[in-house]
Amino acid sequence: MKFDTVIIGGGLSGLTCGIRLLQQGQRCVIVSSGQSALHFSSGSFDLLNALPDGRIVTDPLASVKDLVRMSPGHPYAKLGECKFRELAGESESFLSGIGLSIQGGATENHYRITPMGTLKPTWLSAPDFAVCKSESKLPWKKVSIFNIAGFLDFYPQFIAGEFARMGTKSDIHLFSLPGLDHLRRNPSELRSTNIARILDQESNRDELTGILSKAAADSDAIIFPACIGLKNTNMLAESRKAINKPVYLIPTLPPSVTGIHTQRYMHDYFVRLGGVYMLGDTVKKADMENGRVTRIYSCNHGDIPFIAENTVLATGSYFSQGLIATGSRIYEPVFNLDVAYAPARQDWYSRNMFDSQNYLAFGVKTNESFNALHGGKVLENLYVSGAVLEGFNPVKEGSGAGVSILSALYIADKIISKEGERR
Ligand SMILES: Cc1cc2nc3c(=O)[nH]c(=O)nc-3n(C[C@H](O)[C@H](O)[C@H](O)COP(=O)(O)OP(=O)(O)OC[C@H]3O[C@@H](n4cnc5c(N)ncnc54)[C@H](O)[C@@H]3O)c2cc1C
């Protein structure tokens, strides 16, 4: 099977890279084992929320110079300040260009509301999310918080408590719809994605709108769990119009309806552009000759190899098995690439789970152009993007999606310009 580029891993990073390559006329395949981090994400994308010394970042574009100074091995340092700024802007136009609506921007982080009602800085959020500019004050005097009766992955009381601390009053309403009854018979069925399948149905719109408008008559805004918009993103906009009041979403505990919507949307876009997406297949090994990857083998295709000019490794971190940790080592399972990690296991983690965890910054070593290293040598046609990369801590810094998108766009552009030079 011959392609211009094979991408291993179809999460945020692999899909961004794949779509960009297809837009430039490449023939591209994504081989992906399964679900990505998007399925469990907040639904917001972080670019840079804090520096390694703990200082909070309000303007990522301005603070990147401090990051580069403090963390020279960081993926953003490999890009360099100028390229980082350029790619942050391009990421926003890339996402809106493919039709993914977003709010926010790289010159000023905004605050999203967590499932517990606290505020967290972030870069881009889904357009329906409740967000604010201030870290301590919400833009509403009074809100009505809704939850589905029996849904345990959303906490209106905690949210109302946090809102009260910030001076916003709340009332709480539980509701149900006939379509949700059969889910409620088994508590494990009453999950965000199953609820969204019901709430997304046009036939439920009028009843839902009636419930919201009646109960929220004296509120400035309605707060609703992000259990809607899995397939049908119009429902909320239509309800909002009918009620004539803002309706905002707050993320629930996973699975993330907003994240899954993004994953599916990007997958469908990739396929519409002519990309081949092989879901449920795992790349197992590859042949390498003279510093190049020559053939790639997957579980489903046995000894029929994928052959491509370039390969992108976007297999994610431990969570997606792009990195494997044993008792004594951390390794990359497809190519056995060089991985940066502390040799002594006690240096991998802190027993206090709220401390910064070193293992989160371990990852595949690359050169400045994100080419993988194998036995200390550069593989000139194997690029590494996203969460599997070394040198950044997505939790402490709040940089997860930013690294995934920016590295993917950088690599895609690198591949395209290399191809241009070859011709
Ligand atoms: C639970 C969780 C929640 C997060 N929430 C947020 C958030 O809210 N905001 C934020 O900014 N960042 C968040 N992050 C950080 C996150 O890592 C990035 O935002 C980003 O989504 C990672 O994308 P990725 O494509 O690099 O990796 P992933 O999303 O992990 O995708 C890797 C893909 O590769 C596939 N794969 C792995 N090995 C193979 C193989 N051998 N062959 C074929 N396929 C393979 C996996 O099945 C998976 O689909 C979160 C991370 C985790 C783990």
Side-chain angles (χ1 to χ4, degrees), residues 7 9-18 20 36-38 44-48 74-76 79 84 87 91 94-95 123 266 312-317 320 370 384-390 392 394 397-412:
I7 298 171
L12 181 61
S13 203
L15 279 163
T16 300
C17 190
R20 180 76 145 205
S36 74
L38 280 173
S44 290
F45 290 161
D46 301 336
L47 180 62
L48 183 62
H74 197 287
Y76 293 163
L79 294 174
F84 169 85
L87 286 173
S91 304
F94 169 82
L95 293 169
W123 170 35
M266 292 182 80
V312 179
L313 184 78
T315 45
S317 193
S320 294
F370 296 96
V384 186
S385 82
V388 69
L389 281 166
E390 66 170 330
F392 74 108
E397 295 158 5
S399 59
V403 167
S404 289
I405 300 173
L406 271 60
S407 60
L409 290 179
Y410 176 85
I411 289 166

Side-chain angles (χ1 to χ4, degrees), residues 8-14 31-38 40-46 281-283 314-317 319-322 334 385-387 394 400-401 404:
I8 311 172
L12 181 61
S13 203
V31 184
S32 198
S33 306
Q35 293 176 339
S36 74
L38 280 173
F40 304 88
S41 73
S42 62
S44 290
F45 290 161
D46 301 336
D281 197 3
T282 298
V283 173
T315 45
S317 193
F319 181 77
S320 294
Q321 302 193 355
V334 178
S385 82
S404 289

Side-chain angles (χ1 to χ4, degrees), residues 2 15 36 66 92 122 126 167-168 178 181 233 237 245 248 258 286 310 322 348 354 356 387 402 407 417-418 421:
K2 286 198 174 159
L15 279 163
S36 74
D66 296 325
E92 293 164 18
T122 193
T168 294
D181 288 343
T233 46
K245 189 167 283 210
Y248 297 113
T258 312
N310 293 289
W348 293 5
F354 295 106
S356 168
S407 60
S417 66
K418 209 167 72 172
E421 284 162 20

Side-chain angles (χ1 to χ4, degrees), residues 110-113 117-120 130-143 162-169 220:
H110 61 272
Y111 290 86
R112 67 176 175 90
I113 299 170
T118 55
L119 300 185
K120 267 196 94 173
V131 300
C132 62
K133 285 204 178 283
S134 160
E135 61 181 319
S136 55
K137 194 154 173 45
L138 297 166
W140 318 289
K141 283 202 173 83
K142 179 169 178 245
V143 295
E162 288 295 331
F163 280 18
R165 277 196 328 106
M166 292 185 269
T168 294
K169 287 188 191 142
D220 305 333

